[in-house]
Amino acid sequence: MSTRTSERQKNNNFIKQGSILAAASLIVRMIGMVYRIPMSNILGEEGNGIYAVAFDIYDIVLIISSYSLPLALSKIISAQNSEKQYKNTGRTFRCALTFALVSGGAFGILLFAFAEIIEKNVYAQYIGVHIPLRILAPTIFLVALLGVFRGFFQGKSTMIPTAVSQVIEQVVNAFVSVFAAYTFMKVHKGSPEQSAWGAAGGTMGTCLGALSALLMVMAVYVLYRPVQKRLERRDTHRSMYPASHIYRILFLTILPIILSQTVYQISGLIDYYLFGKLMAYKDVDPLTIKSLVGVYSSKYRLLCSVPIAISTSMASSMIPAAVSAFTQKDDQTLNANILSGIKFNMIIAFPCAIGYMVLGQPIIRLLFPSSDYVLGGYLMLSGSFAVVFYAISNVTGGALQSIDKMSLPVIHSAISLVIHVIILAGFLRFTNVGIFALIIGNVTFPIVVSVLNIMALYRYLHHFHMDFMKTFFIPLSASLWMAIVSFLCFFSFRKLFSLCTGDYVANALSLMITLLVAVVMYFVVFLLLKGMTKEEMYQFPMGRKMYVMARRMKLMK
């Protein structure tokens, strides 16, 4: 088999595995948005604010304890698999499992024990946040174990167990969260901590969802275990890594990822802390503070998280293939994987960002009719372009981790965080932009990281060259044409439907038609601008059928 054919097959597998995980992430995020609609309306803006702060604290503890395990473990196992060190693969998995049991258990207990102390000493403006934190504490332990199994299968270059378990996790999460939030709000009606208990009901779904996903991947591992044992018996490598060596490699791989993710995630906690303190300094009451944070977190951040989740999935799925190419010193395949990951993300991120800017308010009005959709719409208009830069920073950060430049994403995130805090504190202290200061900080943070990451890739990768026209300018141009058509389409149909229906129904019908038109318009213009070749389209699931359809429509040759 020729080198070119081998490279194409490896790249094709990466795109397809990445597409599986990206599709699962999209389904998960869509389910997440669907269940957050009733839950958001049940909790109200105050409850949403408490829920957001509790989850950001939980995310920090999760990152420190075990969140990086799937990524780190997939990187180690992928490198071992490429050298057919199957005995070391099995031993690495068992060591990671022990690490997860100890780390996840310890941090879960600490979060439960210190929940009230965190509330009283750090987030006093968010009264009751300790209640959902204690519900989330056992989830730390469950997610730690879950991450080991997901990382093992991702290192084996199969994303299906991770993808399926993510969907199962979110389905259970959705049903339990809505039911528990409603039940807890009803039981504690009239209590000063009613909103906090409602938020706790929402977090209960997270815990039981993680448990369901863990049981599923454990069942898959039991089925796969005979295959792993057979591979280990055939392994002719004499050198077996001692447990101490594996723990050291695991720790050295996890630490930069922890630092990088912690720096990124802590920006959200700093945002809420500074916003609460400086708004209180300006005599803004706690209820208003929690309500504004509720709109920001449950509308703006929730909607932006959908395309960002896809970029995160592509970064995760890219790492095993990139590590394998880097280990084998196959620069051509390595560059192709990274460039494919960036381009795939831009094809999705640009239309999402531009679409949110134009249709953000109608979308929020459709999904959250009882909320402040006017403020939510302005937040989407001013901050949605952050989606593009988060997509770039996620994929380029994953690429740097793949080539053993683990410290660079940490350094870049730390630099960006310092700039982010200075900008945010300045706007909150010396201007009256209010909640829009969080938007400004949310946009500037990934811009700095993206620029620094791209510069590092050019510095450390041989023959790395991005086609800026096809990667960035064509998706942007197609998105702008889509935006113009979408704007005209929505307001024309809304004016028409308003003559015979109510305002909410007119908004909903107009939005549905406009979204369909927008998708078609984007891909038509994108293909007319030659944004994708026949070979690139073939790399996607059902790529051949898509190409045949595009050719019949005279969009491709």
Side-chain angles (χ1 to χ4, degrees):
M1 183 182 293
S2 68
T3 304
R4 187 182 296 273
T5 303
S6 177
E7 176 197 333
R8 190 184 301 119
Q9 287 184 348
K10 290 177 182 177
N11 198 44
N12 185 45
N13 182 61
F14 151 64
I15 288 290
K16 288 190 175 180
Q17 292 295 327
S19 298
I20 290 170
L21 203 54
S25 294
L26 183 59
I27 293 169
V28 164
R29 291 295 173 175
M30 293 306 295
I31 295 171
M33 282 211 324
V34 169
Y35 90 79
R36 283 293 295 272
I37 295 167
M39 196 178 84
S40 177
N41 291 322
I42 289 168
L43 296 181
E45 303 299 8
E46 182 185 359
N48 284 316
I50 295 171
Y51 181 88
V53 173
F55 242 94
D56 270 30
I57 296 170
Y58 158 79
D59 281 342
I60 286 290
V61 178
L62 185 64
I63 287 167
I64 295 171
S65 64
S66 60
Y67 183 80
S68 55
L69 268 175
L71 198 59
L73 193 58
S74 70
K75 183 178 186 294
I76 296 169
I77 288 180
S78 176
Q80 292 172 346
N81 260 15
S82 67
E83 297 176 356
K84 298 183 179 181
Q85 297 182 13
Y86 301 118
K87 289 180 182 177
N88 284 323
T89 297
R91 178 167 286 188
T92 300
F93 171 77
R94 291 187 290 274
C95 288
L97 206 55
T98 303
F99 179 91
L101 286 167
V102 174
S103 178
F107 277 95
I109 292 170
L110 288 173
L111 181 61
F112 187 90
F114 286 92
E116 279 196 71
I117 296 173
I118 292 171
E119 178 187 320
K120 289 179 181 177
N121 293 282
V122 184
Y123 293 99
Q125 286 79 26
Y126 304 93
I127 298 169
V129 75
H130 72 279
I131 300 173
L133 279 179
R134 283 182 169 162
I135 300 290
L136 284 167
T139 316
I140 300 288
F141 176 70
L142 297 173
V143 173
L145 296 178
L146 178 60
V148 174
F149 288 97
R150 284 176 172 171
F152 174 78
F153 286 114
Q154 286 172 208
K156 294 282 187 177
S157 296
T158 174
M159 306 298 164
I160 294 175
T162 297
V164 175
S165 67
Q166 284 179 345
V167 175
I168 291 173
E169 179 181 8
Q170 190 70 318
V171 169
V172 174
N173 183 7
F175 282 106
V176 175
S177 293
V178 174
F179 177 77
Y182 173 79
T183 303
F184 284 13
M185 288 285 284
K186 189 175 181 180
V187 170
H188 295 276
K189 188 175 182 180
S191 166
E193 294 181 330
Q194 180 185 12
S195 296
W197 276 105
T203 60
M204 183 173 286
T206 307
C207 183
L208 295 182
L211 176 60
S212 303
L214 176 60
L215 294 175
M216 179 263 164
V217 292
M218 287 176 67
V220 174
Y221 178 76
V222 169
L223 294 174
Y224 180 79
R225 191 178 179 186
V227 177
Q228 175 65 23
K229 290 294 183 184
R230 195 158 52 246
L231 290 172
E232 290 181 25
R233 285 195 298 270
R234 294 175 183 173
D235 186 356
T236 56
H237 286 82
R238 293 183 178 180
S239 59
M240 282 284 290
Y241 298 143
S244 59
H245 174 79
I246 292 174
Y247 282 122
R248 185 174 66 85
I249 295 297
L250 195 61
F251 180 76
L252 291 175
T253 307
I254 285 173
L255 184 61
I257 302 174
I258 288 176
L259 293 174
S260 177
Q261 290 293 324
T262 301
V263 170
Y264 162 69
Q265 194 63 40
I266 205 171
S267 66
L269 283 177
I270 292 173
D271 287 355
Y272 295 146
Y273 175 78
L274 288 177
F275 185 77
K277 286 289 185 182
L278 293 176
M279 288 295 101
Y281 176 79
K282 293 183 177 181
D283 296 325
V284 179
D285 63 278
L287 178 60
T288 301
I289 292 171
K290 284 187 282 188
S291 297
L292 288 171
V293 169
V295 175
Y296 171 79
S297 63
S298 64
K299 278 74 182 178
Y300 169 76
R301 285 188 66 180
L302 176 64
L303 289 172
C304 288
S305 69
V306 177
I308 292 173
I310 296 174
S311 70
T312 305
S313 300
M314 287 300 295
S316 299
S317 62
M318 177 185 70
I319 286 177
V323 168
S324 179
F326 179 73
T327 303
Q328 297 171 11
K329 298 184 176 6
D330 186 352
D331 292 339
Q332 197 170 7
T333 301
L334 176 63
N335 288 339
N337 282 341
I338 294 172
L339 292 172
S340 295
I342 296 173
K343 185 173 181 179
F344 180 86
N345 272 277
M346 294 304 97
I347 292 172
I348 296 171
F350 272 110
C352 287
I354 301 295
Y356 278 155
M357 292 174 71
V358 176
L359 300 172
Q361 183 172 311
I363 291 172
I364 292 175
R365 188 173 189 182
L366 173 68
L367 300 178
F368 309 99
S370 62
S371 69
D372 187 350
Y373 57 82
V374 175
L375 174 60
Y378 284 126
L379 294 179
M380 297 303 297
L381 176 64
S382 56
S384 295
F385 214 73
V387 166
V388 173
F389 294 103
Y390 274 114
I392 296 172
S393 64
N394 282 340
V395 178
T396 52
L400 289 171
Q401 290 167 6
S402 302
I403 61 173
D404 282 342
K405 300 298 178 183
M406 307 287 286
S407 62
L408 288 181
V410 181
I411 296 169
H412 298 164
S413 296
I415 293 170
S416 184
L417 181 62
V418 172
I419 296 171
H420 168 87
V421 171
I422 293 170
I423 291 173
L424 177 63
F427 273 98
L428 285 172
R429 180 67 180 84
F430 300 109
T431 73
N432 293 316
V433 296
I435 196 68
F436 288 93
L438 297 184
I439 295 291
I440 295 167
N442 191 61
V443 174
T444 55
F445 182 87
I447 290 177
V448 176
V449 176
S450 298
V451 171
L452 294 175
N453 283 356
I454 290 174
M455 290 171 62
L457 288 176
Y458 270 97
R459 190 161 63 248
Y460 292 107
L461 285 179
H462 300 296
H463 311 299
F464 181 78
H465 177 72
M466 293 173 60
D467 187 339
F468 282 85
M469 177 62 70
K470 286 192 174 183
T471 304
F472 299 106
F473 293 118
I474 289 180
L476 175 60
S477 299
S479 299
L480 292 175
W481 279 106
M482 177 200 75
I484 295 170
V485 173
S486 298
F487 179 84
L488 296 173
C489 180
F490 176 77
F491 286 100
S492 298
F493 276 106
R494 193 179 72 171
K495 190 172 183 179
L496 176 64
F497 287 127
S498 295
L499 299 174
C500 53
T501 65
D503 206 35
Y504 178 81
V505 176
N507 176 79
L509 293 174
S510 304
L511 182 61
M512 296 299 180
I513 295 171
T514 302
L515 290 175
L516 181 61
V517 171
V519 170
V520 174
M521 183 68 187
Y522 172 73
F523 282 105
V524 167
V525 176
F526 180 76
L527 293 177
L528 286 175
L529 292 174
K530 297 180 171 48
M532 185 180 294
T533 64
K534 173 183 175 181
E535 289 74 19
E536 288 172 333
M537 185 171 282
Y538 275 11
Q539 293 173 358
F540 291 90
M542 300 180 67
R544 292 180 182 274
K545 293 182 179 179
M546 290 165 58
Y547 171 72
V548 171
M549 185 182 297
R551 190 174 180 182
R552 286 177 180 173
M553 296 172 66
K554 308 295 184 183
L555 299 175
M556 296 183 73
K557 293 183 179 179

